[in-house]
Amino acid sequence: QVHLVQSGAEVKKPGASVRVSCEASGYTFTDHFLHWVRQAPGQGLEWVGRINPTTGSPDFAEKFQGRVTLTSDTSISTAYMELSTLRSDDTATYYCARVGRLCSSNTCVSTYAFDVWGQGTVVTVSS
Amino acid sequence: EIVLTQSPGSLSLSPGERATLSCRASQSVASSTYLAWYQQKPGQTPRLLIYGASNRATGIPDRFSGSGSGTDFTLTISRLEPEDFALYYCQLYGRATVFGPGTKVDIK
């Protein structure tokens, strides 16, 4: 069974950094892009960025450029999101999510949608 | 960057009624392949309903359907069940993935 298991809740002070991990199981880690999405309390979903686990190449939402680092460790099927210079408005639940694929015979195509989500990591930024 | 707008912001309906949710892109989408819909209930993670604008995800009941192309996309719930009252988000996938602000479907 496919799972994404995230690290536990974090409480940080403004200006600090936080690193959230996302451990994948039940599938080949390098076969699927991993994305990070956050949701502030009572608010909608906001895309943070994505990583290609095979190459380690990331893409970020413009508002997070320079503040977020996305990495992956294929040896332990784990992706990481580090957000620096935290502010109070970074308080949110952070999710990792896998991009789905459809496979037939020897061909697989992306669904361009998030079929499996981590359970979420609550990050609270407070002085 | 494309911006997604969802309407209405909220919808009050009774079980058994039909729900029609709209998602509009600020510019024409390159392909409807990149448009997805999610459902989220309070305290839960989002759940994929529709990918490629019109394909139901695994395990999604056939009362959920998606359609659209270009700038206008629709999620239809043909007959609302009690468990369908939730928040619904559309998403456009890309190097800069974006979500719409959501439509809340609540019980009338």
Side-chain angles (χ1 to χ4, degrees):
Chain A
Q1 201 167 13
V2 176
H3 289 292
L4 296 174
V5 178
Q6 299 182 224
S7 48
E10 302 268 8
V11 179
K12 297 291 183 180
K13 293 193 183 302
S17 297
V18 68
R19 190 173 86 151
V20 179
S21 67
C22 171
E23 182 179 2
S25 62
Y27 73 96
T28 302
F29 182 63
T30 51
D31 280 351
H32 298 254
F33 273 59
L34 262 180
H35 290 239
W36 292 88
V37 176
R38 77 177 187 180
Q39 187 169 37
Q43 303 301 307
L45 302 172
E46 180 177 32
W47 184 71
V48 176
R50 72 175 184 181
I51 188 165
N52 178 340
T54 300
T55 65
S57 174
D59 291 296
F60 312 105
E62 191 172 339
K63 70 177 287 184
F64 297 105
Q65 292 274 0
R67 246 186 3 119
V68 68
T69 303
L70 301 182
T71 57
S72 62
D73 186 339
T74 58
S75 68
I76 55 172
S77 300
T78 299
Y80 302 91
M81 181 206 69
E82 182 168 2
L83 187 61
S84 62
T85 322
L86 289 167
R87 306 185 291 255
S88 58
D89 61 358
D90 291 318
T91 294
T93 299
Y94 289 76
Y95 297 101
C96 59
R98 183 189 86 158
V99 179
R101 298 199 312 169
L102 293 174
C103 298
S104 175
S105 300
N106 293 322
T107 303
C108 295
V109 295
S110 177
T111 62
Y112 303 106
F114 303 160
D115 65 343
V116 179
W117 293 66
Q119 83 277 19
T121 297
V122 177
V123 175
T124 303
V125 183
S126 174
S127 55
Chain B
E1 180 180 299
I2 295 179
V3 175
L4 298 179
T5 304
Q6 292 187 241
S7 61
S10 64
L11 199 52
S12 292
L13 294 168
S14 300
E17 289 193 295
R18 181 185 190 90
T20 303
L21 286 64
S22 172
C23 176
R24 177 163 289 176
S26 58
Q27 56 187 276
S28 186
V29 170
S31 170
S32 59
T33 303
Y34 304 121
L35 197 286
W37 290 91
Y38 299 84
Q39 176 194 68
Q40 188 179 32
K41 298 178 182 179
Q44 296 186 18
T45 62
R47 177 174 74 144
L48 176 64
L49 297 176
I50 301 287
Y51 64 92
S54 61
N55 302 288
R56 275 187 299 276
T58 302
I60 301 303
D62 61 7
R63 64 180 180 272
F64 290 92
S65 63
S67 63
S69 63
T71 59
D72 292 304
F73 299 88
T74 301
L75 175 70
T76 302
I77 311 171
S78 58
R79 294 172 309 279
L80 282 163
E81 297 287 340
E83 62 268 27
D84 299 336
F85 292 94
L87 264 165
Y88 292 85
Y89 295 96
C90 58
Q91 175 210 36
L92 185 62
Y93 185 93
R95 290 190 66 182
T97 293
V98 292
F99 288 93
T103 291
K104 184 178 181 182
V105 179
D106 60 23
I107 299 177
K108 189 172 182 180

